[in-house]
Amino acid sequence: MPSLFDPIRYGAIEAPNRIVMAPLTRGRSTQDHVPTAIMADYYSQRAGAGLIVSEGTGISREGLGWPNAPGLWTDDQIEAWKPVLDAVHKAGGRIVAQLWHMGRLCPPDVTGMQPVSASATLAPPRPGNSGRNLYVEARPATKDDIARILDDFSAATRNAMVAGFDGVQLHGANGYLIDQFLRDGTNFRDDDYGGAPENRIRLLVEVTQRLIGEAGADRTGVRLSPNGESQGCDDSDPESVFVPAAAALAELGIAFLELREVSADGTFGSTDVPKLSPEIRKVFPGPLILNQDYSLETAQADLDSGVADAISFGRKFIANPDLPERLRIGAELNPLDAATLYTPGPAGYSDYPSLASVAS
């Protein structure tokens, strides 16, 4: 059985270990969604990951509703990503861009426009706003909207490759646009994109094909969150849609599939809905990355069982820039400072100590 510290190949990307840095929104870009110099420090510090998946990166002004998150739709954004990626590569790392359209989770006070989604639905309030809902009801995406969004994904993928990313990952998880089309709790359409599971996975497939057309299947990954509710987005029978979705992605030959799966005792969301990774494993033979609440022991157990080929870590990577080495030697992990997850500046971002810095 492979070890967490054994190499793996994700299509064209050769990774020295099976520890993946999960996508993590951090809010250190400018108000115009341009990456900043401090991001080069942050990502290059974590280059020991077998693969880094970038924070969610917007494909368009319309689709990015998170303040100070980076984008990939302007020349300024592309140019600002280049030194970040150069720093990662000089440190020996590999990084793919997670491409993000937030759908109904785009507040109009950020984007300046009414959000689009699968159907006319309203997302629940975001935690921390004293119950005040910053969202408005989305309008159902027209066929013209869908065509424009597909073009935006193509353009963002081209821009990612120009900037120097090693590949791309489609953000199809966590209640954002792709997830809103996948789930029957948010998709009430009666056209080719709604109703039966094969219709609800259509946008996922079409967007993935656009990414493949620009980056190649061997540099394209997808992230899904198949079990449980996420930001008000849910499904009455997730197995009926997510297993066929994974099978369709396998047909396309993508480089990897990542699943964020919550459990009943999860520390970042919880659900009693069973994990679908065992069923998805049966239809997806490519590299399967699992995520959420893993320790070294549970990560290795899922590799040993064959249900996973690699494991992605999120919050542990925030607090521990050298997480793979700490896991390898059994070193103590730094605690996470949750208060600085989205604040400006280096505090709680690029100032977490590494083992080497402590030793010196």
Side-chain angles (χ1 to χ4, degrees):
M1 294 296 177
S3 161
L4 201 60
F5 306 101
D6 286 342
I8 186 173
R9 191 179 186 96
Y10 304 109
I13 304 171
E14 295 184 10
N17 60 59
R18 295 166 187 249
I19 300 169
V20 177
M21 179 174 165
L24 296 155
T25 299
R26 303 304 312 277
R28 262 66 174 193
S29 298
T30 70
Q31 289 186 339
D32 293 325
H33 306 287
V34 176
T36 55
I38 194 174
M39 292 167 61
D41 297 333
Y42 170 74
Y43 280 114
S44 63
Q45 288 169 356
R46 290 154 179 81
L51 179 68
I52 296 172
V53 182
S54 84
E55 62 205 281
T57 302
I59 64 166
S60 65
R61 169 67 285 171
E62 172 191 57
L64 184 55
W66 195 287
N68 301 101
L72 267 170
W73 70 86
T74 72
D75 290 342
D76 286 347
Q77 291 164 353
I78 297 168
E79 290 304 310
W81 269 117
K82 288 180 179 179
V84 177
L85 306 177
D86 284 346
V88 172
H89 292 144
K90 286 177 181 175
R94 296 134 300 274
I95 181 169
V96 298
Q98 190 192 60
L99 301 182
W100 196 19
H101 191 300
M102 297 174 65
R104 69 177 190 168
L105 292 163
C106 288
D109 63 344
V110 178
T111 64
M113 61 191 83
Q114 183 182 13
V116 298
S117 185
S119 302
T121 59
L122 175 64
R126 183 184 293 167
N129 288 317
S130 303
R132 186 168 65 95
N133 199 343
L134 302 178
Y135 304 123
V136 300
E137 183 175 271
R139 62 179 180 83
T142 66
K143 293 295 180 70
D144 286 344
D145 289 326
I146 291 171
R148 183 185 67 257
I149 289 167
L150 290 171
D151 287 345
D152 288 341
F153 270 108
S154 291
T157 306
R158 284 197 301 275
N159 293 342
M161 303 312 289
V162 169
F165 280 99
D166 297 296
V168 291
Q169 183 197 61
L170 171 61
H171 195 342
N174 298 7
Y176 296 112
L177 181 69
I178 302 299
D179 215 14
Q180 292 159 28
F181 272 79
L182 287 171
R183 296 175 184 261
D184 62 13
T186 45
N187 185 339
F188 311 131
R189 302 174 74 96
D190 58 7
D191 63 0
D192 292 345
Y193 292 90
E198 58 265 29
N199 287 344
R200 284 184 277 131
I201 71 173
R202 189 180 304 276
L203 185 62
L204 166 69
V205 170
E206 289 180 349
V207 172
T208 304
Q209 289 172 328
R210 289 299 190 98
L211 271 57
I212 289 171
E214 301 294 340
D218 59 355
R219 294 187 181 275
T220 297
V222 174
R223 185 180 227 231
L224 300 174
S225 52
N227 73 313
E229 176 271 340
S230 185
Q231 303 196 86
C233 194
D234 208 350
D235 194 87
S236 63
D237 184 8
E239 184 172 348
S240 72
V241 64
F242 283 100
V243 174
L249 295 171
E251 275 290 309
L252 294 175
I254 63 171
F256 64 92
L257 175 60
E258 182 188 12
L259 305 178
R260 175 184 177 246
E261 296 188 295
V262 294
S263 59
D265 57 353
T267 62
F268 194 73
S270 63
T271 184
D272 292 328
V273 179
K275 294 182 178 182
L276 281 176
S277 47
E279 297 306 312
I280 288 174
R281 172 85 286 178
K282 294 174 185 176
V283 302
F284 189 83
L288 186 60
I289 303 168
L290 300 186
N291 168 258
Q292 194 69 45
D293 284 319
Y294 274 99
S295 65
L296 173 63
E297 293 73 24
T298 58
Q300 187 59 55
D302 274 0
L303 262 61
D304 291 344
S305 74
V307 73
D309 300 295
I311 302 296
S312 65
F313 296 85
R315 288 162 290 164
K316 288 184 175 67
F317 251 122
I318 290 176
N320 298 275
D322 53 355
L323 179 64
E325 179 63 10
R326 288 176 185 262
L327 293 176
R328 189 184 69 81
I329 67 174
E332 184 178 356
L333 299 184
N334 296 323
L336 176 72
D337 180 7
T340 58
L341 286 176
Y342 310 117
T343 54
Y349 186 66
S350 57
D351 66 346
Y352 280 106
S354 65
L355 291 170
S357 65
V358 170
S360 62

